[in-house]
Structure formats: structure tokens, C-alpha cells
Amino acid sequence: MKTYPRVTLEQWRVFQAIIDKGGYAQAAQYLHRSQSAISYAMSRLQQQLGIALLKVEGRKALLTEQGQILLERSRLLTDEAVEIENFAYHLSQGREAEIKLVVDAAFPKDLLMSALSKFANQSQGTRVQLREVVLSGASDALLSDETDIVIGVQAPSGFLSDPLYEVELIAVAHTNHALHKLKHKITSADLSKHMHVVIQDSGEKEKMDIGWLSSQDRWTVSSIDSALSAIEHGLGYGWLPRYRVSEQLKQGSLKALLLEQGASYKAFLFISFAHPQNIGPATRELATIIKDVVKKNI
Amino acid sequence: MKTYPRVTLEQWRVFQAIIDKGGYAQAAQYLHRSQSAISYAMSRLQQQLGIALLKVEGRKALLTEQGQILLERSRLLTDEAVEIENFAYHLSQGREAEIKLVVDAAFPKDLLMSALSKFANQSQGTRVQLREVVLSGASDALLSDETDIVIGVQAPSGFLSDPLYEVELIAVAHTNHALHKLKHKITSADLSKHMHVVIQDSGEKEKMDIGWLSSQDRWTVSSIDSALSAIEHGLGYGWLPRYRVSEQLKQGSLKALLLEQGASYKAFLFISFAHPQNIGPATRELATIIKDVVKKNI
DNA sequence: AGAAATATATCAGTTTATTTGATGATATAT
DNA sequence: ATATATCATCAAATAAACTGATATATTTCT
């Protein structure tokens, strides 16, 4: 078993050129080399592999069955080699190798994924590292310098932020929940008698408090998914993004609470750069794509 | 934009060796070259890429951030180069580049996939081309020489075949189907009043007829999936592999028909080699794996 | 059938990129 | 301070790859 390559990329390229250009002579012309250099490279390649890639039938060089397969694989190889070098070029131009993106869980996944897949198409190899947070986790990420772009509820002042997306959070509880049985509009006094499902802040520094209504009992969860699941199981009530509960509202498993006040409120998600003074080209592109996708989907 | 690689595999290999062995001198020793050759190759590499991969801090060569990324990618490249050459070696040893596998649709997909993924692990690059057929399509494939291994209902005599897997086909219809409303056991007279969903033979030569019961109306489909979907939509009744309808039977969307006779019958699937006199090593391995997987899952 | 044209293989000589060994520069360890 | 380890650079040596000419084989043309 070999452990290092003996065949050079040049040899594979010669092989490919012979096929693509229709012969040794044409390949020679294409590669700016003599016909005998092509012949030499090709025979050496086959000798090193111990296998015939071409059989010269009459005066035409034809692929063997094995040559066909190896040709295909070799193209992947040389393509990847070219891509690495192009990627290196982009790096030399200041393009980032990796972008760290932090997104608040309230931001719709489909928009995010659509933006990321668009970016992947033109990313030139730049990878995106995605982290999901809730509430002040986003601001923390900005401050702690572990990120490049943040999509979150608000940016600490001093960061370059743009309003991006409005999320409507509405108060819901399971259809059978006692709060729905009340005859009058629900007051905060009513709420305080029931379990409030709160999404825990994933931030660590300045805890923002979204559970501003005091409540006897509080069920704290760490993601929108778990909050939704808790509420769907009748554990309590809570505020969730409208787009995440629309299905349940339609099906009737959840119902919006008729609150005297605060039945819904709007949160604005902002997109911010963590290092405004030094934004790389790929980071800028990704941000632009995200904004575009959001704009098109409003 | 470059269109062909300038950096050689050797250069990448030198780069990797410097990191893996801890320095230029060690890499030189490992690669059986002088230290200055390493230094030359490395500086040329960086010059060609237009980017620094190593920064010499003190007397130690350390990866730059970009070097780290390109190191990882370059490993994929050199690994692939080695794999191609190993694959070529296997080809030279008579190993097949591609195996054509024809499988009757009645053979459970999970078994097939499990076998194929096992084979992929040890295939040394041999690819499997999979074709799905129903009924005599399998025999046709054997006869027409466009295949290596066949899993089908029966092999024409003269082929090397082993019994592989027993499929139980049961008669089913949608729960609300009129046939389920009958008070007595269903007779063929009853059946003939309803639509029979038949899986069409994908073979082209000798049409085998599985719809042996005459039926007023017949709905012909070309795959098990469409048959299942037709029956699930209440279009008619038909015989389907038990493992494909077990979920629906459990959920109650389909019900087995209480037939006077022939409510179920068993079909045996055989595995056959198309060219018994000349079976390649990879073909033999794949067949063995398929048999093993089936044996373990009975 | 024979001549001309096309296509790959091979050979001897040349070119060139890579390698070497020696030396230099610099940082770390004793 | 001195010794040691590490990478950079230079001129010279080397080996792999390349060239141009020629050989061999096949197809095409007349």
C-alpha cells in the first residue's frame, strides 16, 4: 500500500489533455510542449501505475475501461488542486478562511439556511461557523470577540448594526390550558397563578430579563424548541415567535392568550459586525446575502 | 483565475512533513532529502501561493492561520492522489472498476443499503451501479449481459444462483375499501369487481404475469412505491411485500384482505452472477457481503 | 497497390528545476 | 559566554523532463 503519491499532477494533466484535445500532438500543442514530451509523460504514468490507460488502436489513442475511470477520478484531483490554489489566492487578497456567525434562535431557520446556501455557492472556500444563542447571548458574542457577524435582538452601542428582521412574539398556551377557560381578559394577576415558560438567556455577562412579569412558578428552558415543546405539553404559558407557532395555532393545539395587555410584542433583530473597522470581503458578502434574503422574504 | 495547478503534490507533501515531523530538519530526514531542499521547496510553495503558510518564530516554524487551513485541504488532496494510485493498483490486479448490480424492487432497501455501505468501506474504489427492476426485469438483465450481480425472483437455468431472501406478499386494500365491508371471506368473484393494482413487469422479453387473477379493471404501475401509493389512496387492492406495508397495517391506513385463498404468498429472491465463469474479486466480495447482511437480519 | 498523410514511439542530446553541501544568521539552552 | 538547534541562502551537481529528429504503424487518397 502506497503512502505517498508518485504520480505528479502534471502527469494527470497530460493524460487529461490527451483525451480532451484528441491526441498526443494536440495535447502537446495545448500544453506548449513537444509531442515526445507528452509521449514520455504518458508512458511513464502508465508504467508507474502498472496499468494501461490508453490503447493505441490504429493511430488513435483510445481510453481503456480503466483509463476511463482513472480519468474521471484524476479530474477531481486536479480540480481540487486548482481550487486550493485559488483559495490561497483569495486568502492572500485578505479573504477570510472562516466566518463566525452568531444567530439568535428567534431568527427563522429557513431564511438563515437559504442565505447560507447562497453564500456557499460563491464562498470560494470560506467556511461559516454557526452558533445559535438566545437573547443576550448575541451581545455577549459581539463583546467577547469570538465572532464576526451577529444577528441578535440588539447590539450594544458602538457596533455597526442594521435592523434586519421583525419577530412578533405572542403569548400562547395549550388549548386546554386553564387560562383559556377564564371569562374575562387575562390580567397579570391571572398569569401569576400559572407556570411561565421562560427561555433562558444563553448570555453570561449582563443578564437581560425578558420575564418581566413576576410569576409564581417559572419553567426555564434553554431554547425555543424546548419552550415550544413545554408549552405544547400544557406545562405553562409563554411568549414565542409567531412564525414558530403558526402551525400549532392553525391546528388548534395552541391558542393565543387574550391578555389585557402585552399579548404580543415585537422584537427587532439586528445584524451587526463584530469588527466594524476591519470587515473582510467574505464577511461583507455574507452580511449582504443575509440582508437580501430577508428583504426578499418579507 | 488559475485553470491548472502550479504547486506540485511534492510541495504539499513537504509542507505537511514539516508540520508532522516538527521542523525542516526532521522533514528532510523523513523525506530523505537535505534540509536546504526542504527550505527551497517550502519557500517556493509560499511564493507561488503568494501567502505565508509558516512563520518562523524564534527557531521554530509555526503555522499561520492560513497555513492551518491550507494544510488541512492539502491533506485531502494528497490523500486522494494516493487513493487513485492505490485504486489503479487494484485495477492492475484485476479488480473491477465498477460492478453493475440489478435488484428486484421487492428486496428490502435497508438490507441493500446496509450491504452497499459495508461494501463501500472495503471497495478500494470500486463503484456500484445500481438498477432497480421488478419481476422479469431481473432475468432480462442477467440474459442481456449488462450486469454482474442480480437479485431477483428467479434465475434462468444456467446461472449460478443462491436463494437469498424470502419476501411475503400480502393482499391489502385501504381500510375504507369496499372489500373490507363484506361479511364473508373474499372470493375471486369479489375481487374481480374491483380495481386491481398490478406492478408492471420491467422486463422486456418474456413477460411473466403476476396478475393471474383476472380482474375487470386493472391499474398498472411500474414500481412498488406507486403501487403502495395507489392502494393507500384507495384506488384498489393489490399484493405488496409485507415489510413495505407493516407500518400502514399498524397505523390502520391499510388492512390485509381476508381472502378465501391466496391472501399471501411467498416469493423467493435469488442472488445470481451474470458471468459465473469469470467473477472478479470485488463482485465476489459484494455478493458475500449481501448474503451476510441478509443472514444477520433474518 | 502505392504514395502521402497522420499518429504515436523511441533515441540521443540538451535544458531546467531541484537537490546538495557548505556557510550564515538567529534564537534557545547550558 | 559557549554550545546547540533551527531556518535561509549560495554555488555547484544532478536527475528528471524536454526537444528535435527519426522510426514505426495505420489510415486515406489517388
Side-chain angles (χ1 to χ4, degrees), chain A residues 250-271:
Chain A
K250 210 186 292 170
Q251 286 177 4
S253 62
L254 294 185
K255 256 170 78 180
L257 290 172
L258 289 167
L259 294 193
E260 216 174 37
Q261 54 180 320
S264 85
Y265 67 97
K266 296 190 171 162
F268 231 102
L269 294 176
F270 292 83
I271 183 165

Side-chain angles (χ1 to χ4, degrees), chain B residues 31 79 82 99 105 122 206 232 238:
Chain B
L31 297 172
D79 286 354
V82 170
I99 301 176
Q122 59 170 79
E206 24 164 347
E232 275 189 301

Side-chain angles (χ1 to χ4, degrees), chain B residues 8 32-37 40-41 44 58-59:
Chain B
T8 67
H32 308 296
R33 264 175 263 179
S34 68
Q35 177 266 128
S36 79
Y40 170 75
R44 193 148 197 289
R59 62 192 198 195

Side-chain angles (χ1 to χ4, degrees), chain A:
Chain A
M1 188 66 52
K2 288 176 196 174
T3 57
Y4 62 93
R6 290 154 169 76
V7 174
T8 67
L9 292 172
E10 261 317 290
Q11 286 175 294
W12 288 119
R13 194 157 93 93
V14 167
F15 175 40
Q16 292 162 13
I18 291 172
I19 301 303
D20 295 342
K21 301 299 164 184
Y24 285 44
Q26 293 87 331
Q29 187 180 16
Y30 172 70
L31 298 171
H32 309 296
R33 266 175 262 179
S34 70
Q35 176 267 128
S36 76
I38 302 302
S39 186
Y40 168 73
M42 195 61 216
S43 71
R44 193 147 197 289
L45 171 61
Q46 299 184 85
Q47 175 207 330
Q48 285 170 322
L49 294 178
I51 197 174
L53 302 179
L54 298 176
K55 53 172 177 287
V56 177
E57 294 222 330
R59 63 192 197 195
K60 227 152 185 74
L62 296 174
L63 277 172
T64 63
E65 190 187 339
Q66 296 138 348
Q68 175 66 48
I69 303 275
L70 290 178
L71 173 65
E72 289 168 30
R73 281 194 72 162
S74 77
R75 285 196 205 277
L76 298 181
L77 183 71
T78 49
D79 286 354
E80 171 64 7
V82 169
E83 268 179 45
I84 291 185
E85 294 176 39
N86 283 332
F87 180 46
Y89 171 76
H90 288 295
L91 287 180
S92 77
Q93 299 299 304
R95 203 179 168 83
E96 308 87 310
E98 192 173 75
I99 300 175
K100 297 198 182 77
L101 174 63
V102 170
V103 180
D104 192 294
F107 188 69
K109 296 279 174 299
D110 55 340
L111 290 184
L112 180 61
M113 292 311 150
S114 152
L116 287 180
S117 71
K118 271 212 184 68
F119 178 72
N121 285 336
Q122 58 171 79
S123 65
Q124 307 290 156
T126 298
R127 290 181 280 195
V128 176
Q129 193 188 303
L130 182 65
R131 194 152 64 90
E132 187 175 300
V133 294
V134 284
L135 295 171
S136 75
S139 318
D140 277 9
L142 264 184
L143 293 169
S144 70
D145 202 50
E146 297 153 340
T147 187
D148 300 301
I149 304 181
V150 169
I151 297 176
V153 284
Q154 65 175 184
S157 53
F159 288 90
L160 182 59
S161 295
D162 279 320
L164 181 70
Y165 187 81
E166 192 182 54
V167 189
E168 187 188 4
L169 291 136
I170 58 172
V172 293
H174 191 272
T175 311
N176 300 330
H177 194 279
L179 283 167
H180 288 303
K181 306 260 167 24
L182 298 173
K183 298 282 184 291
H184 56 93
K185 284 219 174 177
I186 300 162
T187 65
S188 51
D190 297 323
L191 288 181
S192 68
K193 301 194 184 96
H194 294 277
M195 177 82 80
H196 180 190
V197 176
V198 183
I199 298 166
Q200 185 180 45
D201 198 317
S202 68
E204 276 158 25
K205 284 164 192 165
E206 25 165 347
K207 295 268 184 194
M208 291 196 277
D209 205 350
I210 198 177
W212 62 93
L213 290 162
S214 76
S215 188
Q216 198 82 335
D217 298 290
R218 208 175 252 195
W219 185 266
T220 312
V221 296
S222 58
S223 74
I224 291 191
D225 279 323
S226 9
L228 181 55
S229 149
I231 293 175
E232 275 189 301
H233 283 86
L235 241 73
Y237 69 93
W239 280 261
L240 290 176
R242 180 182 286 283
Y243 76 91
R244 285 298 295 274
V245 294
S246 58
E247 198 53 44
Q248 286 84 349
L249 292 174
K250 210 186 292 170
Q251 286 177 4
S253 62
L254 294 185
K255 256 170 78 180
L257 290 172
L258 289 167
L259 294 193
E260 216 174 37
Q261 54 180 320
S264 85
Y265 67 97
K266 296 190 171 162
F268 231 102
L269 294 176
F270 292 83
I271 183 165
S272 324
F273 294 106
H275 317 289
Q277 66 296 107
N278 177 25
I279 303 172
T283 301
R284 198 176 293 279
E285 281 164 28
L286 177 56
T288 305
I289 289 174
I290 293 173
K291 288 177 192 170
D292 282 356
V293 165
V294 169
K295 207 173 284 170
K296 284 196 192 108
N297 283 279
I298 281 176

Side-chain angles (χ1 to χ4, degrees), chain B residues 178-211:
Chain B
L179 282 168
H180 289 303
K181 307 256 164 32
L182 297 174
K183 298 283 185 287
H184 55 93
K185 284 218 171 178
I186 300 161
T187 65
S188 51
D190 298 322
L191 288 181
S192 67
K193 300 193 185 99
H194 294 276
M195 179 81 83
H196 180 189
V197 176
V198 182
I199 297 166
Q200 185 181 45
D201 197 317
S202 69
E204 275 159 25
K205 284 164 192 164
E206 24 164 347
K207 296 267 184 193
M208 291 195 275
D209 206 349
I210 197 178

